[in-house]
Amino acid sequence: LDLAQIKEVYEDDFLIGNAVSMGDLEGPRLDLLNHHHNLVTAENAMKPSYAYGDDGSFDFTGSNELVERVAEEGLLLHGHVLVWHQQSPEWLHSREDGTPLSRDEALDNMQAHIRNAMENYDAVYGDGVISWDVVNEALDGDWSNPEDWRGQLRDSGWLRAIGEDYIYEAFKYAREVADELGREDLVLFYNDYNDDQQSKAIAMYSMIKEINEQYADENPDDTRKLISGVGMQAHYNANTNPENVRLSIERFIELDIEIGVTELDVTTLTPNETIESELERQAYLYASLFQIYDEYSDHISRVTFWGLNDTNSWRSDRSPLLFNDTLTAKQAYYAVVDPE
Ligand code: XIL
């Protein structure tokens, strides 16, 4: 903990975040978290599947415990996630036999979820919640024609039940709830992965642009963008070309909304963290990324790592983070704090 604090190195540029579970909020893990970060995302606790009791009624007991700890530490919180095809109860949009609910039933469930989650966390942590991933990973096409984002929509339960405007409806409703809570400033993100691939970036860009135009047409008095943040999950590997990341950032800047790097990790190419050359390559990519993030820091509001150390990562077999099993800084850490 006598190492340079990442959050201090980038304090004039963007927030530094990490993904947390309860176990990160005590002991040496908490010390490391506080030393380098000023923002957190719940790695799992705030996902829809954790918001309901067995009888299907809302139950935020577990997640609130985590958010209360985060609040005690004074860390800012990015809400993750409201509408997603994973880690969400199927009954929100589908019947037991797998067929979709009617549009109205599914819309009611989606709106009830958005309202209850946003109100709950607002009651627990108020302004400490600075933003939400409203819709996550809605795009997953064959990319043959990425400008046609409708053709690239993921075949999810939400899409089948509500139709392709479920994304617009989710953001519109989240905006309404945020405004009712007096949170006109709350940033509403569309979040997705493979953000370095240009066809995906084009689809994300086209979707956000069109949805924001539709909202502007329907709400001429509201000068805000409906989707006010684009989340680049940034689940990369040591072979990712940083120049593609730059191209995506430049494209997203045209949307004139906040850019967030929301789930950054860089896997090694083989599942063996002892190969020195791989760790070097990983560190090199981290350095290139932070040089680019720094260059565009006027547009990037936060860079969030997806986990504190390799052992606890969702991709632990490829050692993707800055600290190793014993919480010791890897080359990747030194690359991040001194990327030149
Ligand atoms: C992952 C978590 O890290 C895992 O612990 C969990 O088992 C599955 O989800 N995109 C997202 C995150 O938006 O919520 C995912 O997190 C990683 C991919």
Side-chain angles (χ1 to χ4, degrees):
L1 293 179
D2 41 13
L3 296 178
Q5 300 179 265
I6 306 172
K7 67 180 179 193
E8 218 169 87
V9 173
Y10 292 100
E11 82 185 324
D12 296 334
D13 301 315
F14 31 70
L15 297 169
I16 297 292
N18 213 309
V20 297
S21 308
M22 221 40 200
D24 299 315
L25 296 167
E26 59 190 4
R29 303 185 68 77
L30 175 63
D31 294 340
L32 189 68
L33 181 71
N34 272 325
H35 189 71
H36 294 292
H37 310 83
N38 36 29
L39 169 72
V40 296
T41 303
E43 183 172 6
N44 289 298
M46 291 167 72
K47 292 172 178 174
S49 54
Y50 297 92
Y52 298 89
D54 293 338
D55 61 356
S57 60
F58 286 99
D59 180 359
F60 294 99
T61 320
S63 49
N64 284 352
E65 217 180 299
L66 181 128
V67 174
E68 278 157 20
R69 284 292 300 118
V70 167
E72 278 165 23
E73 295 300 325
L75 293 155
L76 296 171
L77 179 66
H78 171 66
H80 175 75
V81 49
L82 295 172
V83 178
W84 193 23
H85 67 285
Q86 275 181 25
Q87 291 180 282
S88 298
E90 289 291 312
W91 57 260
L92 284 172
H93 44 65
S94 307
R95 293 180 230 285
E96 263 179 46
D97 65 4
T99 58
L101 297 182
S102 73
R103 173 181 164 87
D104 285 346
E105 287 169 319
L107 259 180
D108 279 354
N109 289 344
M110 187 177 81
Q111 293 182 341
H113 183 80
I114 290 173
R115 173 172 294 279
N116 278 278
M118 290 179 73
E119 289 182 350
N120 170 72
Y121 296 111
D122 185 71
V124 178
Y125 197 15
D127 293 355
V129 184
I130 61 169
S131 48
W132 268 101
D133 287 327
V134 177
V135 177
N136 199 27
E137 303 178 351
L139 294 163
D140 179 36
D142 58 7
W143 315 125
S144 46
N145 183 9
E147 281 90 3
D148 167 33
W149 60 271
R150 287 191 171 78
Q152 315 290 328
L153 283 173
R154 178 190 301 278
D155 179 24
S156 76
W158 289 119
L159 178 69
R160 286 194 288 268
I162 298 177
E164 62 192 26
D165 63 342
Y166 84 90
I167 302 156
Y168 183 67
E169 291 298 326
F171 277 96
K172 220 173 53 171
Y173 198 71
R175 184 72 272 159
E176 270 173 49
V177 175
D179 289 354
E180 280 173 39
L181 293 169
R183 294 301 311 280
E184 289 80 7
D185 60 321
L186 196 72
V187 186
L188 304 181
F189 274 83
Y190 176 74
N191 190 47
D192 215 327
Y193 63 93
N194 285 348
D195 47 271
D196 58 314
Q197 293 172 24
Q198 291 314 293
S199 45
K200 180 68 170 272
I202 289 169
M204 290 168 70
Y205 168 87
S206 306
M207 186 189 83
I208 294 171
K209 183 163 183 281
E210 192 179 319
I211 287 180
N212 281 349
E213 282 169 359
Q214 184 183 348
Y215 183 76
D217 285 348
E218 291 175 12
N219 301 273
D221 298 333
D222 192 350
T223 54
R224 297 170 303 177
K225 300 276 199 292
L226 178 61
I227 302 180
S228 43
V230 53
M232 304 173 72
Q233 288 189 5
H235 291 299
Y236 301 143
N237 65 66
N239 263 350
T240 298
N241 181 349
E243 287 311 307
N244 282 335
V245 175
R246 178 197 299 282
L247 282 177
S248 296
I249 291 172
E250 287 182 344
R251 193 181 302 282
F252 294 147
I253 286 173
E254 298 298 312
L255 292 168
D256 196 21
I257 61 177
E258 204 173 294
I259 299 173
V261 178
T262 51
E263 308 185 7
L264 176 62
D265 56 10
V266 177
T267 53
T268 54
L269 299 178
T270 49
N272 186 345
E273 63 168 297
T274 59
I275 299 178
E276 223 21 60
S277 60
E278 291 235 358
L279 294 178
E280 259 163 43
R281 195 152 156 179
Q282 172 187 61
Y284 180 77
L285 184 64
Y286 269 116
S288 310
L289 290 172
F290 273 80
Q291 282 175 30
I292 292 171
Y293 295 156
D294 201 33
E295 244 178 87
Y296 297 99
S297 61
D298 286 353
H299 303 277
I300 297 177
S301 59
R302 78 284 302 272
V303 177
T304 290
F305 298 95
W306 205 243
L308 274 179
N309 71 328
D310 289 341
T311 342
N312 285 53
S313 161
W314 74 310
R315 304 202 284 175
S316 58
D317 59 328
R318 281 158 204 258
S319 320
L321 297 167
L322 307 190
F323 300 92
N324 70 14
D325 303 3
T326 59
L327 299 181
T328 306
K330 297 161 56 184
Q331 292 177 64
Y333 161 81
Y334 294 97
V336 165
V337 293
D338 189 12
E340 307 295 330

